[in-house]
Amino acid sequence: MSDLALRARGIRRTFRENGQELSILGGVDLDVQPGEVVAILGVSGSGKSTLLSILGTLDKPDEGTLLIDGEDPSKLGDTALSRLRSKSLGFMFQFHHLLPDLDALENVALAARIAGISQAEATERARELLDAAGLGERLHHRPGQLSGGERQRAALARALANHPKVVLADEPTGNLDPANAHKLLSTLQELSSRFSQAFVLATHDPELAQGAHRRLRLVQGELSENP
Ligand SMILES: Nc1ncnc2c1ncn2[C@@H]1O[C@H](COP(=O)(O)OP(=O)(O)O)[C@@H](O)[C@H]1O
Ligand SMILES: [Mg+2]
């Protein structure tokens, strides 16, 4: 059990807006094995981002338990929680959030440095990841000098910089044309198998979902298998 990348049980989340209660997650269970790529499908507003925020410890569930890399975030103080995030989790969003004044290599290496990896090792790791992402010739380009697809692949490399147990990716192809979405998917598959890297992908991109090992659908606050 403790060798799971991530384990969620009975996750509930309700938002209160203007005196109204909105139940978004009604008891979600999820196990993610090391190296497993899981896609979470669901229409807009179904709670995919809410679930990913909770799995990423950026939001807290009202009920339920979470184990990330064997640790229960609800038992950790702020410092230990940041340490867990920087050691065990990687994040990727619809927009790249790369730092505009750093080049691709520096962006990825910085993420590794923040996780406590030495400068020499961080640079080596960043080079390897960017190379695998097809950006070996773009190491010294700043985000503004990269195409949209390249920026998103650099963001993927950055999400893996700290050797996370699991990467949480919210609509990672949401802003890409089909050709670049396809390229991101093949890079993700390549990195996942090379580094035994688990991913949880929130997406409504059918191709991305088909490329996952397992597909689940979020409907009315519950996750079910989506073959
Ligand atoms: N912080 C919040 N406060 C109130 N309502 C929220 C909050 N975050 C999300 N919601 C609501 O929860 C629902 C699910 O949102 P979200 O998780 O973003 O869905 P998805 O990512 O599947 O589109 C939406 O109806 C949204 O308005
Ligand atoms: Mg969303």
Side-chain angles (χ1 to χ4, degrees):
M1 181 187 96
S2 61
D3 59 356
L4 284 172
L6 186 150
R7 177 183 198 268
R9 284 292 175 277
I11 299 293
R12 291 181 177 271
R13 187 73 174 98
T14 298
F15 291 115
R16 288 161 197 87
E17 278 291 301
N18 309 322
Q20 276 209 327
E21 290 220 338
L22 209 57
S23 169
I24 301 302
L25 302 173
V28 167
D29 298 336
L30 177 65
D31 283 350
V32 181
Q33 306 289 335
E36 188 180 30
V37 181
V38 178
I40 311 276
L41 291 150
V43 297
S44 177
S46 58
K48 302 180 298 297
S49 296
T50 302
L51 177 59
L52 253 61
S53 296
I54 290 173
L55 300 179
T57 76
L58 304 172
D59 183 22
K60 289 194 172 95
D62 299 312
E63 279 178 54
T65 55
L66 197 56
L67 279 184
I68 296 159
D69 201 0
E71 286 205 75
D72 178 349
S74 74
K75 302 222 152 59
L76 304 177
D78 287 349
T79 312
L81 192 57
S82 320
R83 195 174 328 114
L84 175 67
R85 259 184 230 129
S86 77
K87 176 177 72 86
S88 305
L89 293 170
F91 293 94
M92 213 189 151
F93 303 95
Q94 184 172 352
F95 298 97
H96 58 83
H97 301 289
L98 296 164
L99 296 173
D101 297 331
L102 300 186
D103 67 25
L105 188 69
E106 291 165 334
N107 262 287
V108 179
L110 178 63
R113 288 289 286 144
I114 291 170
I117 297 171
S118 74
Q119 182 66 54
E121 216 184 303
T123 303
E124 187 47 42
R125 170 83 175 157
R127 210 180 275 281
E128 180 186 22
L129 286 167
L130 286 164
D131 204 41
L135 297 171
E137 311 287 303
R138 301 282 187 283
L139 299 180
H140 300 297
H141 285 53
R142 286 191 300 278
Q145 300 169 313
L146 296 171
S147 74
E150 289 168 344
R151 284 197 284 264
Q152 212 48 351
R153 295 203 305 284
L156 173 60
R158 182 191 49 187
L160 271 66
N162 55 341
H163 298 276
K165 203 71 180 181
V166 57
V167 173
L168 304 167
D170 197 353
E171 309 275 6
T173 62
N175 202 30
L176 299 180
D177 59 64
N180 275 303
H182 180 78
K183 222 162 167 178
L184 184 81
L185 171 61
S186 22
T187 304
L188 191 153
Q189 288 172 319
E190 143 89 16
L191 291 170
S192 165
S193 75
R194 193 191 310 182
F195 298 109
S196 187
Q197 177 63 66
F199 285 87
V200 180
L201 311 168
T203 186
H204 49 242
D205 174 345
E207 193 197 346
L208 183 63
Q210 279 311 315
H213 298 128
R214 197 150 61 90
R215 280 156 294 286
L216 301 165
R217 185 172 289 274
L218 196 50
V219 180
Q220 296 187 330
E222 297 195 4
L223 263 189
S224 49
E225 298 286 335
N226 186 99

